[in-house]
Amino acid sequence: MQSDNTFKEHRDPKLTLKQRRLIKNTLIHAVLILLAFVFMFPFLWMFFTALKTPAELLQGIEVLLPKDPQWENFRVAVTTVPFFMYLKNSLILVFFAVLGTLFSATLSAYAFAKLQWPGRDVLFVVMLATMMIPAQVILIPSYILYDLIGWLGTRLPLIVPYFFGGGAAFYIFLLRQFFKGIPKELTESAIVDGAGHFKIFFYIMLPLTRPALITVSLLTFMFVWNDYFGPLIYLSNPDHWTLALGLRGFQTQFTGRYDLMMAAAILVMLPTIVLFFIAQKYFIEGITFTGIKG
Amino acid sequence: MSKKNKTSSLSGLRKQEKKLGYIFASPWLIGLVIFGAFPILASLFLSFTRYRMVGTPEWIGLANYRALMFNDSIFWTSLWNTLYHVFLSVPLGLFVGIILALLLNSKIRGIGIYRTLFYLPNVVSIVAMSLLWLWLFQPNFGLINQVLSPIYNLFNMEPLGWYRDADLSKLTLILMGLWTAGGSMIIYLAQMQDIPKDYYEAAEIDGANGFQQIIKITLPLMTPSIFFNFIMGIIAGFQVFAIAYIMTQGGPGRSTYYYGYYLFDKMINDNNMGQASAMAWILLLITLVITLIALTLNRFVFYLGDQD
Amino acid sequence: MKKIMLLSMILLVTITLSACGSDEYSDRIEIEFWHQSPVGSDSYSGLRRIIREFNESQDEYVVRGTGINFWDYWDRVNIAIASNNAPDLGYHTLDNVILRAENQALYNISDLIEADIEAGVETLDPTVFLENQLEFATYDGDLYALPFSATTRMLFYNLDLFEAAGLSEDDVPTTWDELYEVAKQLDKVDGNTIEVLGFDPSFGEGTYHQYLWTDGLDFFDEDLNPTLNTERHLEILEWMYDFNEEYPRSALDAFGEANQMLGINPFAAGRVAMMVASDGLYETLRPLGDNINYGVTHIPLPDEDGVRVNWGSGFSIEMYDNGDEDKKAGTWAFLKYLLDYDTQVELADTMGWLMSHIPAMEAYAEGNEILEAFVNELEYAVDKVYVPYAPNWHATDWDQFFTEGLSGAISAEEVLTRARNLYIEKQENYERSN
């Protein structure tokens, strides 16, 4: 929507450019606000639930708003568990997962997108096929495998595979699509200048696909940040537990503390939301030929 | 640049490529051999065994496959439910994701806030999401039926039962799934940033309006990510499970009892790992066939890097 | 880029190395015990204290407890058992101990008791547990696990709502006829909206198999072949379906879903006057304190000849066979400690569960009317039978048909026929693959 000519056919000749833009923007705002309300409801529910007393929880949300907001719940959620230890553990896993995924996915994606090598197309299908097996059925064999290597009880099963394309099929495919979408003009001039594939990869592909790399990092971050199952299965030492796993401790059989659960869940969500907000800022400018050639 | 010069350096690169291809792909290739191959092949082996998740697996040949194919009515029901889901949810998800991305690519004030809000359903707890869906779709007091009630009155019809109606339940879950279309939105948004500005500038000079620019430039150049979301939508669609588990528990009358759900039940509730593995491999084959067919659409994808 | 890589490699190595730290008791034999009281749960500190007391009571073993929340525990423990990585001691479900026993995953408890007796050491007395629970822990004549907790189900009634309807505790029903009569007096309906429902057989933990049992029937015969095909089976299912037939199904659904959507327990919210539920509901209601005035009684019987019985589930506590004799001895010592009278009282208080040690529970419940009633009712509790070809016969297999019938999409007769056919199909497939 670069130009404001969308309503060309129907536009009133008396309106100035500025007025037309105003009308268009107001319309877009109206549509977005209406939709945003529906999209926000679950978050609001979590928020208000986090502020309730246990007795209010049992009474339900006939009144959505808690009478006496228990801000205390946020403090309790942070202090009844070793919150900062969990946070540190989450950050460690996320750091390596993002790094590993960026490393293995970009390189492999380049091979699938830009290089001709025997077996490439078959392996591409194999890569897609690895995503078609429901994860549950390979869980036990994987567990046995890590047991054989002696990695059970360490963080390694949750770190090392990322450097070897573990769980990266999705990102490899995604980046392949982006690499293939980079205009040929941009790579060819480099080839003419005598650049090899590593140079093209580092100095043209990676900088040009920054939005895609941000997307990959963000999605990896979110997956690892919110994943409780991997840590549940592989981290036997509670001192290694992550936020997502550690905060599930509020869920017990009979007396699930929804208030604390939601307070904790909001705290876990916040970094993701903030990161998303920051990341999307980079999604505003298109690439230009002129900027890179020089 | 002269044509001759270009081809010679290109052919030089081609020769290297055979080797370089493996080098570039090596992280994933090594990972596949070390971490991927054993669990995957083990699950294939287990599919030919009787294995109750405790003790040693016993080889029983094709018995698991035979039982599923010839004496398991729920197997076929769940497969049909899943196919229905895939064939409807994939195109619908693509459509909504693209529209949302186009809408959120606008350069208006506060666009970052809107993008974040629309992305929220991908982040909030599924319990909170399920409440939203109930609040909207509940047949008696849900918002949607209340809004539609004048129409129901006009045509003198019964209010729609949504997820409570076996004929509509699959569709309802597909509609609910659209709330997370924001997930594909960020991929589209990222792709849109890779479209050279020069194209729009040239189009504007030619007098193309905003709508024409979307049709002629944005959409064609988005096809790589549309194709990506299409293929991933198929693969993920065949494994659909969580939403049914939470909203309908597979009901009413197993109308939303998906393949992935049945596989889960076989493994967790029946302790029948052998048959669950067999189901996984049948699913792999079906998904693979459909994906291979879908991959032929690749020739309609517009890769700027492949254009001459 | 290179710097980042180098840095992360260094970090990685440090983390891996720092994983192997040491703490107190490092010279003792370590016993791994998995439980359901993770950090953050109400029972965490209590259970930790119980474990610490054991560690301090002797100097050979150290028990390391790992708490995993109830919902994730089963995945964790099942994967560990499947790959021979089970802890030395853990909870499981009592009703399928036999599956793990016949696959040699468990130590033989009877042998351990015998060895103790021969050695003249103080040992465990199985008679403190319920006979029914012990049966489920027995395989091939020997005990392979011990009951740890005992759940039982009763009828909860809300006395505030009774009073409002002009009823008193004397009117609490014990038969289906009485139940119907009282329930209808408690219903409160405003136009098309149900505000208070006296009773609905399918609410809470009111299950079809439990009602069948009260009439001396079951899903399966003694050889575990599916039944469900008698006239009486049909009558009982119809009784469940038709209990509130004067209200349209959509109104009942809306009532049920409003509960779900409001995130409330319908009994706690005073929307249902009588409900079948386990002692877990007692725990749920505790935060309400005096805001709710209620009582419990046994599940009403079809008539005076009915069988007083309820579905009593429970956890087992199991010693996983990891082939280490030293750990085995330590685990056994710790298990005896956990099942001892005093610890069981302490555990009940900590966990909010009724434990398996009956004399201990009688002492624990003393003075608490509700708990006393529950402990009393344990005697009538029966766990559901383990059916190898359909371990989840009472839930996933049955629920789909049951709810379809509830919504009126198919008749009660059709529900039973279809369910029976499914069990037969499963049985055939199981036998063929065995």
Side-chain angles (χ1 to χ4, degrees), chain A residues 2 31 34-36 43 51 59 68 99-100 106 119 129 151 161 186 192 195 211 219 230-231 253 262 266 289 291:
Chain A
Q2 296 260 321
V31 172
L34 205 72
L35 285 172
F43 180 76
L51 295 176
Q59 311 288 359
D68 173 22
L99 197 75
T106 52
W151 284 3
L186 294 172
V192 171
L219 293 177
Q253 193 183 3
M262 288 304 148
I266 287 175
F289 288 114

PDB file of all heavy atoms in Angstrom, chain A residues 2 31 34-36 43 51 59 68 99-100 106 119 129 151 161 186 192 195 211 219 230-231 253 262 266 289 291:
ATOM      1  N   GLN A   2       1.703   1.285  -0.989  1.00  0.00           N
ATOM      2  CA  GLN A   2       2.628   2.391  -1.060  1.00  0.00           C
ATOM      3  C   GLN A   2       1.910   3.664  -1.477  1.00  0.00           C
ATOM      4  O   GLN A   2       2.144   4.725  -0.934  1.00  0.00           O
ATOM      5  CB  GLN A   2       3.712   2.080  -2.096  1.00  0.00           C
ATOM      6  CG  GLN A   2       4.555   0.888  -1.701  1.00  0.00           C
ATOM      7  CD  GLN A   2       5.849   1.322  -1.104  1.00  0.00           C
ATOM      8  OE1 GLN A   2       6.421   2.274  -1.568  1.00  0.00           O
ATOM      9  NE2 GLN A   2       6.309   0.678  -0.086  1.00  0.00           N
ATOM     10  N   VAL A  31     -11.008  -1.127  11.165  1.00  0.00           N
ATOM     11  CA  VAL A  31     -11.014  -2.579  10.962  1.00  0.00           C
ATOM     12  C   VAL A  31     -10.062  -3.235  11.957  1.00  0.00           C
ATOM     13  O   VAL A  31     -10.409  -4.221  12.620  1.00  0.00           O
ATOM     14  CB  VAL A  31     -10.587  -2.919   9.516  1.00  0.00           C
ATOM     15  CG1 VAL A  31     -10.390  -4.423   9.360  1.00  0.00           C
ATOM     16  CG2 VAL A  31     -11.617  -2.415   8.534  1.00  0.00           C
ATOM     17  N   LEU A  34     -11.247  -3.198  15.695  1.00  0.00           N
ATOM     18  CA  LEU A  34     -12.334  -4.151  15.906  1.00  0.00           C
ATOM     19  C   LEU A  34     -11.783  -5.567  16.046  1.00  0.00           C
ATOM     20  O   LEU A  34     -12.128  -6.309  16.969  1.00  0.00           O
ATOM     21  CB  LEU A  34     -13.298  -4.076  14.717  1.00  0.00           C
ATOM     22  CG  LEU A  34     -14.715  -4.518  15.009  1.00  0.00           C
ATOM     23  CD1 LEU A  34     -15.412  -3.477  15.863  1.00  0.00           C
ATOM     24  CD2 LEU A  34     -15.466  -4.752  13.710  1.00  0.00           C
ATOM     25  N   LEU A  35     -10.893  -5.920  15.110  1.00  0.00           N
ATOM     26  CA  LEU A  35     -10.311  -7.258  15.150  1.00  0.00           C
ATOM     27  C   LEU A  35      -9.421  -7.425  16.379  1.00  0.00           C
ATOM     28  O   LEU A  35      -9.448  -8.460  17.043  1.00  0.00           O
ATOM     29  CB  LEU A  35      -9.474  -7.498  13.889  1.00  0.00           C
ATOM     30  CG  LEU A  35     -10.264  -7.764  12.611  1.00  0.00           C
ATOM     31  CD1 LEU A  35      -9.329  -7.799  11.407  1.00  0.00           C
ATOM     32  CD2 LEU A  35     -11.012  -9.081  12.718  1.00  0.00           C
ATOM     33  N   ALA A  36      -8.668  -6.390  16.680  1.00  0.00           N
ATOM     34  CA  ALA A  36      -7.706  -6.486  17.781  1.00  0.00           C
ATOM     35  C   ALA A  36      -8.408  -6.801  19.092  1.00  0.00           C
ATOM     36  O   ALA A  36      -7.877  -7.523  19.929  1.00  0.00           O
ATOM     37  CB  ALA A  36      -6.909  -5.192  17.898  1.00  0.00           C
ATOM     38  N   PHE A  43      -5.704 -12.719  26.310  1.00  0.00           N
ATOM     39  CA  PHE A  43      -4.666 -12.106  27.126  1.00  0.00           C
ATOM     40  C   PHE A  43      -5.279 -11.401  28.332  1.00  0.00           C
ATOM     41  O   PHE A  43      -4.805 -11.511  29.456  1.00  0.00           O
ATOM     42  CB  PHE A  43      -3.853 -11.120  26.285  1.00  0.00           C
ATOM     43  CG  PHE A  43      -2.772 -10.453  27.062  1.00  0.00           C
ATOM     44  CD1 PHE A  43      -1.606 -11.132  27.368  1.00  0.00           C
ATOM     45  CD2 PHE A  43      -2.926  -9.158  27.521  1.00  0.00           C
ATOM     46  CE1 PHE A  43      -0.609 -10.536  28.101  1.00  0.00           C
ATOM     47  CE2 PHE A  43      -1.929  -8.548  28.263  1.00  0.00           C
ATOM     48  CZ  PHE A  43      -0.769  -9.241  28.553  1.00  0.00           C
ATOM     49  N   LEU A  51      -4.934 -11.875  38.793  1.00  0.00           N
ATOM     50  CA  LEU A  51      -5.120 -10.937  39.901  1.00  0.00           C
ATOM     51  C   LEU A  51      -6.177 -11.385  40.899  1.00  0.00           C
ATOM     52  O   LEU A  51      -6.555 -10.644  41.795  1.00  0.00           O
ATOM     53  CB  LEU A  51      -5.499  -9.552  39.351  1.00  0.00           C
ATOM     54  CG  LEU A  51      -4.424  -8.870  38.506  1.00  0.00           C
ATOM     55  CD1 LEU A  51      -4.946  -7.570  37.940  1.00  0.00           C
ATOM     56  CD2 LEU A  51      -3.180  -8.620  39.338  1.00  0.00           C
ATOM     57  N   GLN A  59     -15.360 -18.921  42.097  1.00  0.00           N
ATOM     58  CA  GLN A  59     -16.650 -18.320  41.757  1.00  0.00           C
ATOM     59  C   GLN A  59     -16.763 -18.031  40.266  1.00  0.00           C
ATOM     60  O   GLN A  59     -17.836 -17.718  39.779  1.00  0.00           O
ATOM     61  CB  GLN A  59     -16.860 -17.006  42.526  1.00  0.00           C
ATOM     62  CG  GLN A  59     -16.599 -17.107  44.010  1.00  0.00           C
ATOM     63  CD  GLN A  59     -17.662 -17.881  44.752  1.00  0.00           C
ATOM     64  OE1 GLN A  59     -18.625 -18.327  44.143  1.00  0.00           O
ATOM     65  NE2 GLN A  59     -17.487 -18.065  46.046  1.00  0.00           N
ATOM     66  N   ASP A  68     -10.583  -7.273  44.329  1.00  0.00           N
ATOM     67  CA  ASP A  68      -9.438  -6.742  45.051  1.00  0.00           C
ATOM     68  C   ASP A  68      -8.192  -7.308  44.376  1.00  0.00           C
ATOM     69  O   ASP A  68      -7.725  -8.393  44.725  1.00  0.00           O
ATOM     70  CB  ASP A  68      -9.546  -7.206  46.516  1.00  0.00           C
ATOM     71  CG  ASP A  68      -8.321  -6.839  47.314  1.00  0.00           C
ATOM     72  OD1 ASP A  68      -7.603  -5.909  46.909  1.00  0.00           O
ATOM     73  OD2 ASP A  68      -8.081  -7.509  48.333  1.00  0.00           O
ATOM     74  N   LEU A  99      21.366 -19.702  18.164  1.00  0.00           N
ATOM     75  CA  LEU A  99      22.667 -19.698  17.503  1.00  0.00           C
ATOM     76  C   LEU A  99      22.807 -20.934  16.607  1.00  0.00           C
ATOM     77  O   LEU A  99      23.185 -20.838  15.429  1.00  0.00           O
ATOM     78  CB  LEU A  99      23.753 -19.703  18.572  1.00  0.00           C
ATOM     79  CG  LEU A  99      25.141 -19.304  18.110  1.00  0.00           C
ATOM     80  CD1 LEU A  99      25.178 -17.800  17.905  1.00  0.00           C
ATOM     81  CD2 LEU A  99      26.175 -19.723  19.146  1.00  0.00           C
ATOM     82  N   GLY A 100      22.519 -22.079  17.176  1.00  0.00           N
ATOM     83  CA  GLY A 100      22.669 -23.327  16.427  1.00  0.00           C
ATOM     84  C   GLY A 100      21.762 -23.372  15.218  1.00  0.00           C
ATOM     85  O   GLY A 100      22.167 -23.789  14.133  1.00  0.00           O
ATOM     86  N   THR A 106      20.949 -21.742   7.981  1.00  0.00           N
ATOM     87  CA  THR A 106      21.344 -20.863   6.881  1.00  0.00           C
ATOM     88  C   THR A 106      22.247 -21.611   5.900  1.00  0.00           C
ATOM     89  O   THR A 106      22.036 -21.561   4.695  1.00  0.00           O
ATOM     90  CB  THR A 106      22.099 -19.618   7.395  1.00  0.00           C
ATOM     91  OG1 THR A 106      23.158 -20.037   8.244  1.00  0.00           O
ATOM     92  CG2 THR A 106      21.183 -18.684   8.146  1.00  0.00           C
ATOM     93  N   GLY A 119      21.824 -35.575  -5.660  1.00  0.00           N
ATOM     94  CA  GLY A 119      21.022 -36.030  -4.526  1.00  0.00           C
ATOM     95  C   GLY A 119      20.297 -34.899  -3.824  1.00  0.00           C
ATOM     96  O   GLY A 119      19.559 -35.134  -2.871  1.00  0.00           O
ATOM     97  N   ALA A 129      10.216 -34.911   4.764  1.00  0.00           N
ATOM     98  CA  ALA A 129       9.622 -36.110   5.356  1.00  0.00           C
ATOM     99  C   ALA A 129       9.924 -36.202   6.851  1.00  0.00           C
ATOM    100  O   ALA A 129       9.102 -36.717   7.613  1.00  0.00           O
ATOM    101  CB  ALA A 129      10.117 -37.354   4.633  1.00  0.00           C
ATOM    102  N   TRP A 151      24.214 -38.679  27.423  1.00  0.00           N
ATOM    103  CA  TRP A 151      23.846 -37.273  27.550  1.00  0.00           C
ATOM    104  C   TRP A 151      22.639 -37.051  28.456  1.00  0.00           C
ATOM    105  O   TRP A 151      22.251 -35.911  28.695  1.00  0.00           O
ATOM    106  CB  TRP A 151      23.548 -36.664  26.172  1.00  0.00           C
ATOM    107  CG  TRP A 151      24.789 -36.371  25.390  1.00  0.00           C
ATOM    108  CD1 TRP A 151      26.081 -36.635  25.753  1.00  0.00           C
ATOM    109  CD2 TRP A 151      24.844 -35.750  24.107  1.00  0.00           C
ATOM    110  NE1 TRP A 151      26.937 -36.223  24.779  1.00  0.00           N
ATOM    111  CE2 TRP A 151      26.218 -35.677  23.744  1.00  0.00           C
ATOM    112  CE3 TRP A 151      23.892 -35.253  23.219  1.00  0.00           C
ATOM    113  CZ2 TRP A 151      26.636 -35.121  22.534  1.00  0.00           C
ATOM    114  CZ3 TRP A 151      24.320 -34.700  22.026  1.00  0.00           C
ATOM    115  CH2 TRP A 151      25.682 -34.630  21.690  1.00  0.00           C
ATOM    116  N   PRO A 161      21.840 -30.782  19.172  1.00  0.00           N
ATOM    117  CA  PRO A 161      21.142 -31.053  17.904  1.00  0.00           C
ATOM    118  C   PRO A 161      20.839 -29.789  17.101  1.00  0.00           C
ATOM    119  O   PRO A 161      20.822 -29.842  15.870  1.00  0.00           O
ATOM    120  CB  PRO A 161      19.850 -31.737  18.351  1.00  0.00           C
ATOM    121  CG  PRO A 161      20.202 -32.386  19.627  1.00  0.00           C
ATOM    122  CD  PRO A 161      21.168 -31.456  20.301  1.00  0.00           C
ATOM    123  N   LEU A 186      21.693  -9.432  -8.058  1.00  0.00           N
ATOM    124  CA  LEU A 186      22.535  -9.126  -6.907  1.00  0.00           C
ATOM    125  C   LEU A 186      23.645 -10.151  -6.728  1.00  0.00           C
ATOM    126  O   LEU A 186      24.744  -9.821  -6.292  1.00  0.00           O
ATOM    127  CB  LEU A 186      21.667  -9.069  -5.648  1.00  0.00           C
ATOM    128  CG  LEU A 186      20.656  -7.925  -5.637  1.00  0.00           C
ATOM    129  CD1 LEU A 186      19.723  -8.054  -4.449  1.00  0.00           C
ATOM    130  CD2 LEU A 186      21.361  -6.590  -5.600  1.00  0.00           C
ATOM    131  N   VAL A 192      30.687 -12.277 -10.961  1.00  0.00           N
ATOM    132  CA  VAL A 192      31.540 -11.653 -11.962  1.00  0.00           C
ATOM    133  C   VAL A 192      32.788 -11.080 -11.301  1.00  0.00           C
ATOM    134  O   VAL A 192      33.890 -11.163 -11.817  1.00  0.00           O
ATOM    135  CB  VAL A 192      30.757 -10.555 -12.723  1.00  0.00           C
ATOM    136  CG1 VAL A 192      31.687  -9.742 -13.614  1.00  0.00           C
ATOM    137  CG2 VAL A 192      29.651 -11.195 -13.533  1.00  0.00           C
ATOM    138  N   ALA A 195      33.713 -13.569  -6.649  1.00  0.00           N
ATOM    139  CA  ALA A 195      33.379 -14.037  -5.303  1.00  0.00           C
ATOM    140  C   ALA A 195      32.970 -15.501  -5.345  1.00  0.00           C
ATOM    141  O   ALA A 195      32.299 -15.943  -6.273  1.00  0.00           O
ATOM    142  CB  ALA A 195      32.255 -13.199  -4.721  1.00  0.00           C
ATOM    143  N   PRO A 211      15.287  -9.852   7.377  1.00  0.00           N
ATOM    144  CA  PRO A 211      13.953 -10.098   7.955  1.00  0.00           C
ATOM    145  C   PRO A 211      13.689 -11.587   8.164  1.00  0.00           C
ATOM    146  O   PRO A 211      13.110 -11.984   9.179  1.00  0.00           O
ATOM    147  CB  PRO A 211      12.994  -9.521   6.913  1.00  0.00           C
ATOM    148  CG  PRO A 211      13.807  -8.531   6.161  1.00  0.00           C
ATOM    149  CD  PRO A 211      15.211  -9.053   6.141  1.00  0.00           C
ATOM    150  N   LEU A 219      11.148 -17.257  15.901  1.00  0.00           N
ATOM    151  CA  LEU A 219      10.373 -18.495  16.014  1.00  0.00           C
ATOM    152  C   LEU A 219      11.130 -19.526  16.846  1.00  0.00           C
ATOM    153  O   LEU A 219      10.527 -20.232  17.663  1.00  0.00           O
ATOM    154  CB  LEU A 219      10.055 -19.049  14.626  1.00  0.00           C
ATOM    155  CG  LEU A 219       9.094 -18.204  13.779  1.00  0.00           C
ATOM    156  CD1 LEU A 219       8.906 -18.817  12.403  1.00  0.00           C
ATOM    157  CD2 LEU A 219       7.739 -18.074  14.467  1.00  0.00           C
ATOM    158  N   GLY A 230      10.493 -30.937  26.097  1.00  0.00           N
ATOM    159  CA  GLY A 230      11.890 -31.342  25.934  1.00  0.00           C
ATOM    160  C   GLY A 230      12.630 -31.293  27.264  1.00  0.00           C
ATOM    161  O   GLY A 230      13.195 -32.295  27.709  1.00  0.00           O
ATOM    162  N   PRO A 231      12.587 -30.148  27.944  1.00  0.00           N
ATOM    163  CA  PRO A 231      13.229 -30.078  29.262  1.00  0.00           C
ATOM    164  C   PRO A 231      12.664 -31.103  30.246  1.00  0.00           C
ATOM    165  O   PRO A 231      13.415 -31.701  31.018  1.00  0.00           O
ATOM    166  CB  PRO A 231      12.915 -28.655  29.721  1.00  0.00           C
ATOM    167  CG  PRO A 231      12.798 -27.880  28.460  1.00  0.00           C
ATOM    168  CD  PRO A 231      12.168 -28.815  27.474  1.00  0.00           C
ATOM    169  N   GLN A 253      -2.782 -31.637  41.070  1.00  0.00           N
ATOM    170  CA  GLN A 253      -3.941 -32.443  40.710  1.00  0.00           C
ATOM    171  C   GLN A 253      -5.273 -31.793  41.070  1.00  0.00           C
ATOM    172  O   GLN A 253      -6.150 -31.664  40.244  1.00  0.00           O
ATOM    173  CB  GLN A 253      -3.832 -33.811  41.371  1.00  0.00           C
ATOM    174  CG  GLN A 253      -4.821 -34.810  40.818  1.00  0.00           C
ATOM    175  CD  GLN A 253      -4.738 -36.122  41.553  1.00  0.00           C
ATOM    176  OE1 GLN A 253      -3.990 -36.256  42.510  1.00  0.00           O
ATOM    177  NE2 GLN A 253      -5.515 -37.096  41.126  1.00  0.00           N
ATOM    178  N   MET A 262      -1.378 -18.188  35.926  1.00  0.00           N
ATOM    179  CA  MET A 262      -1.539 -17.141  34.929  1.00  0.00           C
ATOM    180  C   MET A 262      -0.567 -15.987  35.173  1.00  0.00           C
ATOM    181  O   MET A 262      -0.035 -15.419  34.231  1.00  0.00           O
ATOM    182  CB  MET A 262      -2.980 -16.629  34.921  1.00  0.00           C
ATOM    183  CG  MET A 262      -3.939 -17.642  34.328  1.00  0.00           C
ATOM    184  SD  MET A 262      -3.458 -18.131  32.650  1.00  0.00           S
ATOM    185  CE  MET A 262      -4.023 -19.828  32.614  1.00  0.00           C
ATOM    186  N   ILE A 266       2.051 -14.999  32.350  1.00  0.00           N
ATOM    187  CA  ILE A 266       2.201 -13.649  31.791  1.00  0.00           C
ATOM    188  C   ILE A 266       3.662 -13.213  31.851  1.00  0.00           C
ATOM    189  O   ILE A 266       4.202 -12.663  30.899  1.00  0.00           O
ATOM    190  CB  ILE A 266       1.289 -12.660  32.546  1.00  0.00           C
ATOM    191  CG1 ILE A 266      -0.163 -12.909  32.130  1.00  0.00           C
ATOM    192  CG2 ILE A 266       1.682 -11.216  32.249  1.00  0.00           C
ATOM    193  CD1 ILE A 266      -1.168 -12.101  32.886  1.00  0.00           C
ATOM    194  N   PHE A 289      18.185  -2.171  -4.829  1.00  0.00           N
ATOM    195  CA  PHE A 289      19.361  -2.637  -5.572  1.00  0.00           C
ATOM    196  C   PHE A 289      20.548  -1.728  -5.304  1.00  0.00           C
ATOM    197  O   PHE A 289      21.661  -2.164  -5.156  1.00  0.00           O
ATOM    198  CB  PHE A 289      19.077  -2.641  -7.082  1.00  0.00           C
ATOM    199  CG  PHE A 289      18.146  -3.741  -7.473  1.00  0.00           C
ATOM    200  CD1 PHE A 289      16.890  -3.458  -7.962  1.00  0.00           C
ATOM    201  CD2 PHE A 289      18.533  -5.057  -7.323  1.00  0.00           C
ATOM    202  CE1 PHE A 289      16.043  -4.477  -8.321  1.00  0.00           C
ATOM    203  CE2 PHE A 289      17.681  -6.082  -7.685  1.00  0.00           C
ATOM    204  CZ  PHE A 289      16.427  -5.793  -8.190  1.00  0.00           C
ATOM    205  N   GLY A 291      21.399   0.166  -2.817  1.00  0.00           N
ATOM    206  CA  GLY A 291      22.054   0.175  -1.521  1.00  0.00           C
ATOM    207  C   GLY A 291      23.164  -0.855  -1.399  1.00  0.00           C
ATOM    208  O   GLY A 291      24.146  -0.635  -0.702  1.00  0.00           O
TER     209      GLY A 291
END
